[in-house]
């Protein structure tokens, strides 16, 4: 590790005043965070009803309560009767005039370059990627391998996968082919999403994923060739990197 003299970020008073916890404290009419904890313990039903209202959780079917303890406190059923897709709550921010222009996702690469997307544009970005996955047969309950660099495109892919009701299977090129095969096989994944390689890399090793790590374009050709043959992935979706190159 390298020592630095950078001062760690600390929230300012204005940051604290505009935080989600502060909004919850105000909505519950309690004095401070400690009082918030005490209220949550003493009146959990009222607390969670307020949380769902303040956070504007988007339910497909609203729950009948915050918990069903009929099987005993050691076997609770949380939010009984409720059904939701958590991505809808995220995307709903883009429909609010006050939030549409706010930054929803910001990604910074190793060179300090940033790329972002605003809430007002988030739904279309997610819908575009969801449509591409759906065209490959991804649906509710599908498992999708995700072999992508941390960043904007990986985040959008994760949102798209969850929006379809599918399950993302995180993969890492550093694990090697055997570990990737094991994870894809255990999940019974039939589709993968990964970064498209550069033109030079594609010419050298074919249309296989690439990964950018520590400033280097990590060729994962051997990894991918070692996974697709034995596991028989039906489809691979390649996504271009947004705003950066290795």
């Amino acid at each position: 590790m390298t020592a630095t003299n950078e001062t760690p970020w600390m929230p300012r008073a204005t940051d604290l005043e505009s935080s989600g916890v502060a909004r919850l404290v105000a909505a519950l009419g309690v004095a401070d965070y400690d009082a918030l904890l005490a209220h949550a313990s003493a009146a959990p039903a009222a607390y969670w009803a307020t949380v769902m209202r303040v956070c504007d959780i988007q339910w497909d079917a609203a729950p009948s309560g915050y918990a069903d303890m009929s099987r005993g406190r050691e076997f609770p059923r949380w939010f009984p009767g409720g059904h939701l897709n958590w991505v809808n709550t995220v995307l709903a921010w883009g429909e609010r005039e006050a939030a549409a222009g706010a930054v929803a996702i910001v990604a910074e690469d190793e060179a300090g370059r940033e790329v972002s997307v605003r809430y007002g544009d988030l739904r279309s970005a997610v819908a575009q990627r969801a449509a591409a996955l759906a065209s490959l047969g991804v649906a509710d309950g599908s498992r999708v391998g995700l072999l992508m660099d941390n960043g904007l495109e990986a985040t959008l892919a994760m949102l798209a996968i969850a929006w379809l009701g599918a399950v993302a299977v995180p993969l890492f090129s550093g694990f090697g082919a055997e570990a990737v095969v094991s994870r894809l096989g255990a999940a019974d994944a039939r589709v993968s999403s990964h970064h498209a390689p550069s033109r030079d890399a594609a010419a050298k090793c074919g249309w296989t994923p690439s990964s950018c790590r520590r400033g280097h374009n990590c060729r994962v050709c051997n990894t991918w060739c070692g996974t697709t043959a034995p596991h028989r992935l039906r489809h691979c979706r390649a996504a271009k990197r947004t705003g950066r190159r290795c």
Side-chain angles (χ1 to χ4, degrees):
M1 298 179 64
T2 303
T4 66
N5 294 320
E6 295 182 5
T7 302
W9 179 84
M10 294 293 291
R12 300 164 297 181
T14 52
D15 296 324
L16 296 174
E17 291 169 1
S18 61
S19 67
V21 172
R23 289 194 296 120
L24 192 54
V25 165
L28 289 167
V30 296
D32 52 28
Y33 183 69
D34 289 335
L36 173 70
L37 292 179
H39 176 76
S41 298
Y47 168 78
W48 281 110
T50 304
V51 168
M52 288 188 284
R53 175 174 58 81
V54 171
C55 296
D56 198 13
I57 304 300
Q58 302 294 304
W59 292 94
D60 297 325
S64 58
Y66 85 97
D68 176 4
M69 302 290 187
S70 61
R71 298 186 300 171
R73 294 180 63 85
E74 63 273 30
F75 300 110
R77 300 184 67 178
W78 302 108
F79 303 103
H83 296 276
L84 60 72
N85 185 313
W86 63 270
V87 179
N88 289 329
T89 297
V90 176
L91 299 182
W93 286 93
E95 300 171 3
R96 299 166 190 150
E97 185 176 351
V103 174
I105 305 170
V106 59
E108 180 179 332
D109 66 13
E110 294 174 351
R113 294 168 295 195
E114 290 188 359
V115 61
S116 63
V117 62
R118 300 186 182 279
Y119 277 108
D121 302 319
L122 188 59
R123 181 179 291 274
S124 61
V126 172
Q128 180 184 25
R129 288 154 180 81
L133 289 168
S135 70
L136 301 179
V138 175
D140 188 16
S142 300
R143 275 78 71 193
V144 181
L146 192 62
L147 181 60
M148 309 182 82
D149 306 339
N150 291 332
L152 177 59
E153 189 58 42
T155 304
L156 293 173
M158 177 69 79
L159 287 167
I161 291 167
W163 202 29
L164 292 171
V167 179
V169 182
L171 305 170
F172 176 47
S173 60
F175 291 160
E178 185 176 345
V180 171
V181 170
S182 175
R183 284 159 176 75
L184 290 171
D188 193 26
R190 287 293 181 267
V191 177
S192 71
S193 184
H194 56 77
H195 277 126
S198 65
R199 183 175 300 177
D200 292 341
K204 290 180 180 178
C205 64
W207 192 250
T208 53
S210 68
S211 178
C212 187
R213 191 163 67 250
R214 296 185 178 179
H216 299 286
N217 187 358
C218 303
R219 305 271 198 267
V220 291
C221 304
N222 293 336
T223 299
W224 207 245
C225 291
T227 62
T228 55
H231 185 63
R232 301 177 185 174
L233 285 169
R234 293 174 184 166
H235 300 287
C236 296
R237 174 185 174 269
K240 293 182 179 179
R241 284 193 176 82
T242 307
R244 65 169 179 160
R245 294 188 182 279
C246 237

PDB file of all heavy atoms in Angstrom, residues 94-109:
ATOM      1  N   GLY A  94     -36.238   9.205 -11.763  1.00  0.00           N
ATOM      2  CA  GLY A  94     -36.158   9.936 -13.013  1.00  0.00           C
ATOM      3  C   GLY A  94     -37.474  10.562 -13.431  1.00  0.00           C
ATOM      4  O   GLY A  94     -37.510  11.426 -14.312  1.00  0.00           O
ATOM      5  N   GLU A  95     -38.584  10.140 -12.833  1.00  0.00           N
ATOM      6  CA  GLU A  95     -39.896  10.676 -13.160  1.00  0.00           C
ATOM      7  C   GLU A  95     -40.255  11.873 -12.288  1.00  0.00           C
ATOM      8  O   GLU A  95     -41.318  12.473 -12.466  1.00  0.00           O
ATOM      9  CB  GLU A  95     -40.938   9.570 -13.007  1.00  0.00           C
ATOM     10  CG  GLU A  95     -40.677   8.367 -13.923  1.00  0.00           C
ATOM     11  CD  GLU A  95     -41.580   7.189 -13.606  1.00  0.00           C
ATOM     12  OE1 GLU A  95     -42.445   7.340 -12.708  1.00  0.00           O
ATOM     13  OE2 GLU A  95     -41.429   6.136 -14.244  1.00  0.00           O
ATOM     14  N   ARG A  96     -39.378  12.211 -11.328  1.00  0.00           N
ATOM     15  CA  ARG A  96     -39.623  13.352 -10.452  1.00  0.00           C
ATOM     16  C   ARG A  96     -38.854  14.551 -10.987  1.00  0.00           C
ATOM     17  O   ARG A  96     -37.639  14.475 -11.192  1.00  0.00           O
ATOM     18  CB  ARG A  96     -39.186  13.025  -9.027  1.00  0.00           C
ATOM     19  CG  ARG A  96     -39.949  11.841  -8.452  1.00  0.00           C
ATOM     20  CD  ARG A  96     -39.296  11.311  -7.198  1.00  0.00           C
ATOM     21  NE  ARG A  96     -39.909  10.043  -6.800  1.00  0.00           N
ATOM     22  CZ  ARG A  96     -39.286   9.074  -6.172  1.00  0.00           C
ATOM     23  NH1 ARG A  96     -38.014   9.213  -5.864  1.00  0.00           N
ATOM     24  NH2 ARG A  96     -39.924   7.969  -5.843  1.00  0.00           N
ATOM     25  N   GLU A  97     -39.552  15.628 -11.191  1.00  0.00           N
ATOM     26  CA  GLU A  97     -38.934  16.802 -11.802  1.00  0.00           C
ATOM     27  C   GLU A  97     -37.711  17.280 -11.034  1.00  0.00           C
ATOM     28  O   GLU A  97     -36.701  17.674 -11.633  1.00  0.00           O
ATOM     29  CB  GLU A  97     -39.972  17.927 -11.892  1.00  0.00           C
ATOM     30  CG  GLU A  97     -39.475  19.157 -12.627  1.00  0.00           C
ATOM     31  CD  GLU A  97     -40.554  20.212 -12.782  1.00  0.00           C
ATOM     32  OE1 GLU A  97     -41.718  19.915 -12.466  1.00  0.00           O
ATOM     33  OE2 GLU A  97     -40.226  21.331 -13.229  1.00  0.00           O
ATOM     34  N   ALA A  98     -37.779  17.214  -9.710  1.00  0.00           N
ATOM     35  CA  ALA A  98     -36.682  17.717  -8.888  1.00  0.00           C
ATOM     36  C   ALA A  98     -35.444  16.829  -8.954  1.00  0.00           C
ATOM     37  O   ALA A  98     -34.333  17.282  -8.682  1.00  0.00           O
ATOM     38  CB  ALA A  98     -37.135  17.863  -7.439  1.00  0.00           C
ATOM     39  N   ALA A  99     -35.643  15.552  -9.297  1.00  0.00           N
ATOM     40  CA  ALA A  99     -34.522  14.593  -9.274  1.00  0.00           C
ATOM     41  C   ALA A  99     -34.024  14.209 -10.656  1.00  0.00           C
ATOM     42  O   ALA A  99     -32.931  13.653 -10.778  1.00  0.00           O
ATOM     43  CB  ALA A  99     -34.944  13.333  -8.517  1.00  0.00           C
ATOM     44  N   ALA A 100     -34.797  14.480 -11.684  1.00  0.00           N
ATOM     45  CA  ALA A 100     -34.449  14.001 -13.030  1.00  0.00           C
ATOM     46  C   ALA A 100     -33.073  14.475 -13.488  1.00  0.00           C
ATOM     47  O   ALA A 100     -32.351  13.759 -14.184  1.00  0.00           O
ATOM     48  CB  ALA A 100     -35.515  14.440 -14.037  1.00  0.00           C
ATOM     49  N   GLY A 101     -32.676  15.676 -13.086  1.00  0.00           N
ATOM     50  CA  GLY A 101     -31.390  16.210 -13.516  1.00  0.00           C
ATOM     51  C   GLY A 101     -30.229  15.838 -12.628  1.00  0.00           C
ATOM     52  O   GLY A 101     -29.077  16.173 -12.929  1.00  0.00           O
ATOM     53  N   ALA A 102     -30.508  15.144 -11.533  1.00  0.00           N
ATOM     54  CA  ALA A 102     -29.446  14.758 -10.596  1.00  0.00           C
ATOM     55  C   ALA A 102     -28.675  13.561 -11.131  1.00  0.00           C
ATOM     56  O   ALA A 102     -29.214  12.734 -11.877  1.00  0.00           O
ATOM     57  CB  ALA A 102     -30.035  14.428  -9.231  1.00  0.00           C
ATOM     58  N   VAL A 103     -27.408  13.469 -10.758  1.00  0.00           N
ATOM     59  CA  VAL A 103     -26.570  12.353 -11.195  1.00  0.00           C
ATOM     60  C   VAL A 103     -26.992  11.085 -10.454  1.00  0.00           C
ATOM     61  O   VAL A 103     -27.047  11.063  -9.229  1.00  0.00           O
ATOM     62  CB  VAL A 103     -25.084  12.646 -10.939  1.00  0.00           C
ATOM     63  CG1 VAL A 103     -24.238  11.421 -11.255  1.00  0.00           C
ATOM     64  CG2 VAL A 103     -24.630  13.831 -11.777  1.00  0.00           C
ATOM     65  N   ALA A 104     -27.275  10.035 -11.209  1.00  0.00           N
ATOM     66  CA  ALA A 104     -27.684   8.760 -10.622  1.00  0.00           C
ATOM     67  C   ALA A 104     -26.490   7.846 -10.403  1.00  0.00           C
ATOM     68  O   ALA A 104     -26.375   7.188  -9.368  1.00  0.00           O
ATOM     69  CB  ALA A 104     -28.705   8.067 -11.528  1.00  0.00           C
ATOM     70  N   ILE A 105     -25.611   7.788 -11.384  1.00  0.00           N
ATOM     71  CA  ILE A 105     -24.429   6.912 -11.317  1.00  0.00           C
ATOM     72  C   ILE A 105     -23.230   7.703 -11.813  1.00  0.00           C
ATOM     73  O   ILE A 105     -23.304   8.371 -12.850  1.00  0.00           O
ATOM     74  CB  ILE A 105     -24.599   5.663 -12.200  1.00  0.00           C
ATOM     75  CG1 ILE A 105     -25.877   4.899 -11.839  1.00  0.00           C
ATOM     76  CG2 ILE A 105     -23.388   4.746 -12.068  1.00  0.00           C
ATOM     77  CD1 ILE A 105     -26.224   3.804 -12.840  1.00  0.00           C
ATOM     78  N   VAL A 106     -22.146   7.642 -11.089  1.00  0.00           N
ATOM     79  CA  VAL A 106     -20.890   8.228 -11.553  1.00  0.00           C
ATOM     80  C   VAL A 106     -19.799   7.183 -11.393  1.00  0.00           C
ATOM     81  O   VAL A 106     -19.711   6.512 -10.362  1.00  0.00           O
ATOM     82  CB  VAL A 106     -20.542   9.523 -10.782  1.00  0.00           C
ATOM     83  CG1 VAL A 106     -20.415   9.257  -9.294  1.00  0.00           C
ATOM     84  CG2 VAL A 106     -19.252  10.131 -11.323  1.00  0.00           C
ATOM     85  N   ALA A 107     -19.011   6.987 -12.421  1.00  0.00           N
ATOM     86  CA  ALA A 107     -17.938   5.993 -12.400  1.00  0.00           C
ATOM     87  C   ALA A 107     -16.626   6.678 -12.727  1.00  0.00           C
ATOM     88  O   ALA A 107     -16.555   7.529 -13.618  1.00  0.00           O
ATOM     89  CB  ALA A 107     -18.219   4.880 -13.410  1.00  0.00           C
ATOM     90  N   GLU A 108     -15.597   6.301 -12.019  1.00  0.00           N
ATOM     91  CA  GLU A 108     -14.259   6.855 -12.242  1.00  0.00           C
ATOM     92  C   GLU A 108     -13.297   5.715 -12.493  1.00  0.00           C
ATOM     93  O   GLU A 108     -13.256   4.753 -11.732  1.00  0.00           O
ATOM     94  CB  GLU A 108     -13.813   7.662 -11.022  1.00  0.00           C
ATOM     95  CG  GLU A 108     -12.435   8.274 -11.172  1.00  0.00           C
ATOM     96  CD  GLU A 108     -12.019   9.097  -9.957  1.00  0.00           C
ATOM     97  OE1 GLU A 108     -12.918   9.622  -9.268  1.00  0.00           O
ATOM     98  OE2 GLU A 108     -10.800   9.195  -9.696  1.00  0.00           O
ATOM     99  N   ASP A 109     -12.519   5.821 -13.577  1.00  0.00           N
ATOM    100  CA  ASP A 109     -11.570   4.755 -13.879  1.00  0.00           C
ATOM    101  C   ASP A 109     -10.241   5.012 -13.173  1.00  0.00           C
ATOM    102  O   ASP A 109     -10.084   5.986 -12.427  1.00  0.00           O
ATOM    103  CB  ASP A 109     -11.387   4.585 -15.384  1.00  0.00           C
ATOM    104  CG  ASP A 109     -10.720   5.787 -16.045  1.00  0.00           C
ATOM    105  OD1 ASP A 109     -10.184   6.655 -15.327  1.00  0.00           O
ATOM    106  OD2 ASP A 109     -10.718   5.849 -17.291  1.00  0.00           O
TER     107      ASP A 109
END
